[in-house]
Amino acid sequence: MPTQEISAINSIDVGFGHDDFAALLDKYDYHFSPGDIVAGTVFSIEPRGALIDIGAKTSAYIPIQEMSINRIENPDEVLQPNETREFFILADENEDGQLTLSIRRIEYMRAWERVRQLQAEDATVRSAVFATNRGGALVRIEGLRGFIPGSHISTRKPKEELVGEELPLKFLEVDEDRNRLVLSHRRALVERKMNRLEVGEVVIGTVRGIKPYGAFIDIGGVSGLLHISEISHEHIDTPHSIFNVNDEVKVMIIDLDAERGRISLSTKQLEPEPGDMLKNRQLVYDKAEEMAAKYREQMKLQQQGGSANAAAEPVAEAAPEEVEESADEAAYATAADE
C-alpha cells in the first residue's frame, strides 16, 4: 500500500476520537420515555428480575413484580434467555442510566380493552371464585380482579363454600379509571333460564317474597315479579291480602327483559272474569291455559296490526322507585344449585 494512503488512514483514525464516537452514538441513539412500548431481548435472568436489551446504552431492568398481571414466584415462569418480546417503559433512567420495564402494564391495558369488548358484546364469561368477603365474592377476568356483589350471587350455598367454584357471569360495570370491574352471577343465570321461557307461557311457581308493590315468584330456579297491578283487574290494597310466602301459584309470563335480568308475571291476564283472583282463585288456575291462549292470540293480532280492541291490555309498569328496589332484591333471581 502506498505510503501516502497509510498516512491518510492514520490521520483519519487519530482524528476520530472518543468524543466524536460518543457524539455519533447520541446522534443515532433512540430516546426512550416512560409510557413507550418497545421491543427487547432478555439478556440475563436474575433471581428477582431480568436485564433486557432494548437498544439503549445500558441494559434495562424488569423486576419480578412487573413481569405478569398474575403473581409469580420465579422470573423463568415468564421469561426465557434470548427471548424477544414487547416491554412497557415504566420509569425513566435511574442514576446508573438504567430504565425500568414492565410486562404487567401491557397485560393490564390489554385486559381492560378485552373486558370492555366483552361488555359491549354482552358476553357471558366464566371464572372461579378465589375469595369471599362480607360484601360478595372475588374473581379474576382476563387477569383483572372482579367483584360480585352478594345480591348478585344466585346460589343457596353459603358464600364461603363458593371458593374454587367456577361461575357464569355477566358484566355490570367496567370502569378502568376507577379500577372497578363488577359482575353478576344472577344475570347470567337469569339470561340462561329466560332463553327457555316465552312471553304468554303459563308456569307454576312458589311465592318467595312479598313486598308492598308485588310478590316475587320462583319459577324453575329464577324469580319473576308479579306486580300488584298485575294480580287482578280488581283493586288490591296489598299483595299480603292475596298471597302468603310458600304459596304455589299459576302465573303467565308477560315480559322477559334479559338485559336487566327481569321477568314480569301476571295473574290478572288469566282471570276469566275481573276479580276472580279475589273470589275464586282455583277457577283462574283451572282456566289458565285457556286464557293464556286467548292472550297469545290477542298479542298476535296486535303484532299483525289488528284493531285496538283486539290488542291485549298494556302491562302496567312498576314505579321507578319500585323497580330499583326490586332489582336489588336477592330473592329476585334466586337460582337453583347447578
Side-chain angles (χ1 to χ4, degrees):
M1 181 179 291
T3 304
Q4 61 269 29
E5 290 185 17
I6 295 174
S7 300
I9 291 172
N10 287 338
S11 65
I12 292 172
D13 290 341
V14 170
F16 194 79
H18 293 293
D19 291 341
D20 298 312
F21 184 69
L24 192 61
L25 282 178
D26 287 337
K27 180 179 178 181
Y28 292 101
D29 191 23
Y30 292 104
H31 293 283
F32 300 99
S33 302
D36 290 348
I37 295 177
V38 297
T41 302
V42 179
F43 177 72
S44 174
I45 295 180
E46 301 180 351
R48 303 302 298 171
L51 295 174
I52 311 296
D53 180 5
I54 61 170
K57 297 176 187 177
T58 304
S59 294
Y61 182 73
I62 179 169
I64 191 170
Q65 63 268 24
E66 290 296 329
M67 289 186 181
S68 176
I69 200 170
N70 301 309
R71 181 183 293 275
I72 63 170
E73 298 298 328
N74 298 297
D76 58 12
E77 294 177 40
V78 176
L79 298 175
Q80 300 299 319
N82 299 316
E83 174 187 2
T84 299
R85 61 176 299 161
E86 287 184 325
F87 296 89
F88 180 93
I89 298 179
L90 190 64
D92 215 338
E93 296 179 353
N94 59 18
E95 60 272 12
D96 297 322
Q98 190 173 64
L99 293 163
T100 302
L101 306 179
S102 174
I103 296 170
R104 184 182 68 87
R105 188 60 64 88
I106 294 176
E107 293 179 340
Y108 185 80
M109 292 187 297
R110 290 177 180 169
W112 278 109
E113 181 179 351
R114 177 62 178 153
V115 296
R116 282 194 296 269
Q117 179 184 352
L118 290 170
Q119 183 193 36
E121 296 170 357
D122 195 28
T124 298
V125 296
R126 299 188 69 90
S127 182
V129 174
F130 71 84
T132 61
N133 55 33
R134 189 172 64 178
L138 299 174
V139 294
R140 292 195 183 278
I141 307 294
E142 298 289 326
L144 300 172
R145 178 177 292 196
F147 176 67
I148 312 171
S151 61
H152 281 267
I153 299 174
S154 292
T155 177
R156 296 190 179 104
K157 291 183 179 180
K159 280 187 300 185
E160 297 74 19
E161 295 182 14
L162 289 175
V163 175
E165 183 169 339
E166 189 177 73
L167 303 176
L169 302 165
K170 302 288 283 188
F171 292 95
L172 292 179
E173 183 179 356
V174 175
D175 189 337
E176 182 179 0
D177 293 336
R178 298 170 62 197
N179 197 32
R180 284 176 60 85
L181 181 58
V182 186
L183 304 114
S184 173
H185 176 227
R186 184 184 80 190
R187 267 198 62 199
L189 289 189
V190 170
E191 181 181 270
R192 187 168 66 187
K193 301 278 186 182
M194 286 171 67
N195 289 336
R196 305 170 190 168
L197 301 172
E198 295 181 1
V199 171
E201 180 181 356
V202 174
V203 293
I204 296 175
T206 304
V207 178
R208 293 302 185 198
I210 301 174
K211 294 289 182 179
Y213 51 82
F216 292 100
I217 314 296
D218 185 304
I219 49 174
V222 295
S223 284
L225 175 63
L226 177 58
H227 192 260
I228 188 171
S229 63
E230 280 297 325
I231 294 175
S232 175
H233 285 86
E234 294 290 330
H235 174 74
I236 295 171
D237 291 327
T238 171
H240 288 87
S241 64
I242 307 297
F243 301 111
N244 295 308
V245 172
N246 295 325
D247 279 357
E248 188 173 89
V249 296
K250 254 188 184 181
V251 292
M252 185 175 69
I253 298 168
I254 55 174
D255 188 56
L256 294 168
D257 187 341
E259 184 176 344
R260 294 188 292 178
R262 294 176 185 168
I263 302 171
S264 298
L265 307 170
S266 177
T267 50
K268 178 172 78 174
Q269 306 294 345
L270 300 178
E271 288 184 321
E273 296 293 336
D276 278 346
M277 274 300 291
L278 287 67
K279 305 166 191 173
N280 191 349
R281 192 186 310 182
Q282 190 57 48
L283 177 64
V284 176
Y285 296 163
D286 291 343
K287 296 279 189 179
E289 283 74 14
E290 179 184 334
M291 296 302 296
K294 292 181 179 179
Y295 177 88
R296 292 192 295 270
E297 184 63 26
Q298 290 174 339
M299 292 297 294
K300 184 177 178 181
L301 289 173
Q302 183 181 23
Q303 292 169 358
Q304 292 175 348
S307 67
N309 291 334
E313 184 176 339
V315 175
E317 291 289 337
E321 62 272 15
E322 293 170 351
V323 172
E324 291 303 316
E325 184 178 356
S326 67
D328 289 330
E329 289 287 341
Y332 190 67
T334 302
D337 293 336
E338 294 185 282

